[in-house]
Amino acid sequence: MKIEDYDPKNFEKDIYEKWLEAGVFAAEDSSEREKFSMVIPPPNVTGTLHMGHALNCTLQDVLARWRNLQGYEVLWLPGTDHAGIATQNVVERQLAEEGSSREELGREKFLDRVWEWKQEYGDQIIHQLKALGVSCDWSRERFTLDEGLSRAVTEVFIRLYEDELIYQGDYIVNWCPRCHTALSDVEVEHQEVDGHWYHIKYPLLNSDDYLHIATTRPETMLGDTAVAFHLRDERYTHLEGEKALLPLVERELPVVADDRVDPDFGSGLVKITPGHDDLDFRIGEDHGLELINLLNEDGTYNQNAGQPYAGLDRYEVREKVVEDLKQQDYLLEIEPYSHDVGHCYRCDTEIEPYVSKQWFVSMEPLAEPAIEAVKDDEVQFYPERWEKTYFEWMENIRDWCISRQIWWGHRIPVWYGPDGETIVARSEEEAEEKAQEIYGKQVDLEQDSDVLDTWFSSALWPFSTLGWPEDTADLEAFYPTDVLSTGFDIIYFWVARMIMMGYYCMDERPFDDVYIHALIRTESGEKMSKSLGNVIDPLDVIDEYGCDALRFTLCALAAQGRDIRLSYDRVKGFRNFANKIWNAVRYLDFALDDPTAQYLVEPIEIEHCSAIEKWILGRFKERMEAATEALENYNFDRYADNLYQFFWHEYCDWYIEFSKIRLDVSAGEEQRNVERVLYRVLVESLKALHPVMPHLTEELYGRLNPNGKLIINTEWPSPPEQWLDQKSLAVVEQLQEVIRSGRHLKKEFNVQRSSGVSLLIDPEEQASQKLLEMEPYVQKLVGVESFELTDGQQPKLCSTEVLDFGTILLPLAGVIDVQKETERLQSDLADRQQRIEELNQRLENPQFLENAPLGVIEESKEELLEVEDEVERLEQTISLLQKE
């Protein structure tokens, strides 16, 4: 078996194709195996693979492959989201470049154009996910606008409507003037904006006095219909019932008292604009105030604003209003003020509160069982702290505006008769039948032009993708799902709504666990942003270092509750780990006559194992137990770290080196047993690593098993109890300490391998005979003539290191030139003292502390501690030599 140098480009794509051809990702609903299921958070069809996708899909794939190896029937169901606003915006931009528009095309032709775009570009994200190696069941791939899911959406709308949980009404909503649609509260992203406080005089009617009003949006004053104060604010109680005059417009405004006014906001007096502020809308309803809508859908002001403001953009109106207030002496002051302003989550346009007729879902009845589910641990969050975020939103939930004024999406299944009669139906044919019953004749019906919020269909994803509302075999076998892995930013958008809809439609939770993954940042802790130019493209990383190196990096850094700081250097480091695994198999190819020989897969005979073999078998068992427990609790970093530490440091650094000696001194069945252990632990390690490094492990397993069996079809390692021998673990751990100590002492005094020196041990108690029997390993791996007990006398010139079980001594007389060695060490000491001075100057420099990234400062502090330790050791060593 000839194994070339490691290059993932030579096999990763081929390995994935091999899995697809073998159908290993396909789940059988009729399987008698215990089921494990997940649904992928559906990426938008407009999307391309970013590092957040790479992280989440890697972690899900680790779970899917791990459970598959454990013997579960695994369904990981993939799909994409139609992304209403985002997709429509993409196609509208294309039309604009062609000199056309959706209005010019009309609804049907525009939708045809969007479907054409989807067919051409919509699968790009799926191809990129495959490049990441995900083991989704592609035969079950779904799309939120496919026929089955559309039927589920319509069914849920009708059931909610019939249960009086959906209603239509004029209400103030978040309006995006760019997208021309309403947005739900959670679709509004708040950003801090540098604005101004505008202090304005509102004259009191029949008085020379005025009311001091402060606002950040002076243009909306054109729609003011009252002034309000807190009902217990004694500064203003005498004003209740009075009237003020609205500047510029000269509309009379009643002064009202309301307990929802913040007395600490501005002067404590606030303008009430029911048509353009959410709180003002509710105050206006309770006080019977007139509602004046100033806006057109595109953000320009309408005729209600009067001249000269009608037809101007909202920001132009602001400038004109401020200018007119100055000219007419109503403006008291303008002061800088930073405040949060809502922006559209899709196009980043500032949203406007806007009154329009919309469809809403009554959320409180739906929220009650979903709240109890998390309180009763029917649904559990990992990390648990995200439950607080969930409860904060759910316990203060507001009705959900589900209608969107766009064309791409699930059209609302509502038709209107000639007199405005509302008809809710599953199809146009059903609507016509209902109209026949209502009117007694055939009439023209007009379907509601709005579509449903994209998140409405996404809320049904765990069960609609399995065939609901039909009673399908998939639904019976795989619902509820086991875990949902997602980001914290869509706990409101998606997680909570899925839980609510799961209980409403299925009377059962949609998943057992919710794993909230970390946010990926740059190495210095900054958020990745295209505008900052610091984005790391996962496809670039895969091309440079291979898919498995990226996957292992993301898994190794995925600690619960801590953001990931990613860099190319980190990926490069774990690419070296992949190379280490590859070279371990190359060593097997070199060390064994035939690494595919049948005797290697025969049972290991523990009674023929030395302490060395028992040690590696025991360490593998301990590491596997820790790795399995880590995955059961979604501690992906601990899973990765256990396997990394075991394979690199215990198997490669120690056992392979031990095995070279073992193979030299053993023969016959004993040697074959050593070879079995060497082979078996490597193969079992490949299985344990398979969930996170699937391509590499599949390729290497195929090299070692030419019978064609795939590693993905093997079993998760579960080492037997007899592999764990505590005595062997203890003695080999002592041996490792002796070897480390001997190497350290030799390095400290620059002792060459050919010097003929011996290593001695002065034990705290009777030395273990087994440890002394390890002399060949000490000789070979430390590079000494012998390893033996002291005669009770410490040599005159020797270096020592105290261990828990005794003192290691390295006799130096006749081995080193004391004067030259002292001079060398003094030179090293001077260099390190100089470095300490440089680091102290840096860390005492206020400019460095203020401007340097936090990571750089911490690295400097850590280096200072390390160099100080080195100085202390050098001083002790020099002192020892100067005594001679």
Short mmCIF file of all heavy atoms in Angstrom, two decimals, residues 753 774-787:
data_model
loop_
_atom_site.label_atom_id
_atom_site.label_comp_id
_atom_site.label_asym_id
_atom_site.label_seq_id
_atom_site.Cartn_x
_atom_site.Cartn_y
_atom_site.Cartn_z
N ARG A 753 23.52 13.69 22.79
CA ARG A 753 23.06 12.30 22.86
C ARG A 753 24.23 11.33 23.00
O ARG A 753 24.12 10.29 23.65
CB ARG A 753 22.25 11.98 21.60
CG ARG A 753 21.51 10.65 21.68
CD ARG A 753 20.59 10.45 20.50
NE ARG A 753 19.75 9.28 20.68
CZ ARG A 753 18.58 9.28 21.32
NH1 ARG A 753 18.13 10.41 21.83
NH2 ARG A 753 17.87 8.17 21.46
N MET A 774 11.13 -0.39 32.42
CA MET A 774 10.93 0.48 31.25
C MET A 774 12.25 1.09 30.78
O MET A 774 12.25 2.00 29.95
CB MET A 774 9.94 1.60 31.59
CG MET A 774 8.56 1.11 31.98
SD MET A 774 7.71 0.35 30.59
CE MET A 774 6.17 -0.12 31.36
N GLU A 775 13.38 0.58 31.29
CA GLU A 775 14.67 1.17 30.94
C GLU A 775 14.88 1.30 29.43
O GLU A 775 15.39 2.34 28.97
CB GLU A 775 15.82 0.35 31.56
CG GLU A 775 17.19 0.96 31.26
CD GLU A 775 18.34 0.14 31.84
OE1 GLU A 775 18.12 -1.05 32.15
OE2 GLU A 775 19.44 0.70 31.97
N PRO A 776 14.52 0.32 28.58
CA PRO A 776 14.76 0.48 27.14
C PRO A 776 14.08 1.72 26.55
O PRO A 776 14.64 2.36 25.65
CB PRO A 776 14.17 -0.81 26.55
CG PRO A 776 14.22 -1.80 27.65
CD PRO A 776 13.98 -1.02 28.91
N TYR A 777 12.92 2.07 27.09
CA TYR A 777 12.20 3.25 26.58
C TYR A 777 12.91 4.53 27.01
O TYR A 777 12.99 5.49 26.24
CB TYR A 777 10.75 3.25 27.07
CG TYR A 777 10.00 2.01 26.66
CD1 TYR A 777 9.78 0.97 27.57
CD2 TYR A 777 9.53 1.85 25.37
CE1 TYR A 777 9.12 -0.18 27.19
CE2 TYR A 777 8.85 0.69 24.98
CZ TYR A 777 8.65 -0.32 25.90
OH TYR A 777 8.00 -1.47 25.52
N VAL A 778 13.42 4.54 28.26
CA VAL A 778 14.15 5.71 28.74
C VAL A 778 15.44 5.87 27.95
O VAL A 778 15.80 6.98 27.52
CB VAL A 778 14.43 5.58 30.25
CG1 VAL A 778 15.24 6.80 30.74
CG2 VAL A 778 13.13 5.46 31.04
N GLN A 779 16.15 4.76 27.76
CA GLN A 779 17.40 4.83 27.00
C GLN A 779 17.16 5.41 25.61
O GLN A 779 17.88 6.31 25.16
CB GLN A 779 17.99 3.41 26.87
CG GLN A 779 18.56 2.84 28.16
CD GLN A 779 19.00 1.40 27.96
OE1 GLN A 779 18.23 0.55 27.51
NE2 GLN A 779 20.26 1.12 28.28
N LYS A 780 16.16 4.88 24.93
CA LYS A 780 15.92 5.27 23.54
C LYS A 780 15.35 6.68 23.42
O LYS A 780 15.79 7.48 22.58
CB LYS A 780 14.96 4.27 22.91
CG LYS A 780 14.71 4.46 21.42
CD LYS A 780 15.86 3.97 20.60
CE LYS A 780 15.51 4.01 19.11
NZ LYS A 780 16.66 3.60 18.28
N LEU A 781 14.39 6.98 24.25
CA LEU A 781 13.64 8.24 24.07
C LEU A 781 14.26 9.43 24.79
O LEU A 781 13.93 10.57 24.47
CB LEU A 781 12.19 8.04 24.51
CG LEU A 781 11.42 6.98 23.70
CD1 LEU A 781 10.00 6.82 24.23
CD2 LEU A 781 11.39 7.33 22.22
N VAL A 782 15.15 9.17 25.76
CA VAL A 782 15.88 10.28 26.40
C VAL A 782 17.27 10.40 25.78
O VAL A 782 17.80 11.50 25.65
CB VAL A 782 15.97 10.08 27.93
CG1 VAL A 782 16.76 11.22 28.58
CG2 VAL A 782 14.58 10.01 28.55
N GLY A 783 17.80 9.25 25.37
CA GLY A 783 19.15 9.26 24.81
C GLY A 783 20.20 9.16 25.89
O GLY A 783 21.08 10.03 26.00
N VAL A 784 20.06 8.15 26.75
CA VAL A 784 21.03 7.94 27.84
C VAL A 784 21.53 6.49 27.78
O VAL A 784 20.93 5.63 27.13
CB VAL A 784 20.41 8.23 29.22
CG1 VAL A 784 20.10 9.71 29.37
CG2 VAL A 784 19.13 7.39 29.44
N GLU A 785 22.63 6.26 28.47
CA GLU A 785 23.21 4.92 28.49
C GLU A 785 22.38 3.96 29.32
O GLU A 785 22.25 2.78 28.99
CB GLU A 785 24.64 4.98 29.04
CG GLU A 785 25.65 5.53 28.07
CD GLU A 785 25.88 4.60 26.90
OE1 GLU A 785 26.06 3.39 27.11
OE2 GLU A 785 25.84 5.10 25.75
N SER A 786 21.84 4.47 30.44
CA SER A 786 21.10 3.58 31.34
C SER A 786 20.11 4.38 32.18
O SER A 786 20.18 5.61 32.25
CB SER A 786 22.07 2.82 32.26
OG SER A 786 22.77 3.74 33.09
N PHE A 787 19.20 3.67 32.80
CA PHE A 787 18.24 4.25 33.76
C PHE A 787 18.21 3.32 34.96
O PHE A 787 17.83 2.15 34.84
CB PHE A 787 16.86 4.37 33.11
CG PHE A 787 15.77 4.79 34.07
CD1 PHE A 787 15.86 5.98 34.77
CD2 PHE A 787 14.65 3.99 34.27
CE1 PHE A 787 14.87 6.37 35.65
CE2 PHE A 787 13.65 4.36 35.15
CZ PHE A 787 13.76 5.56 35.84
#
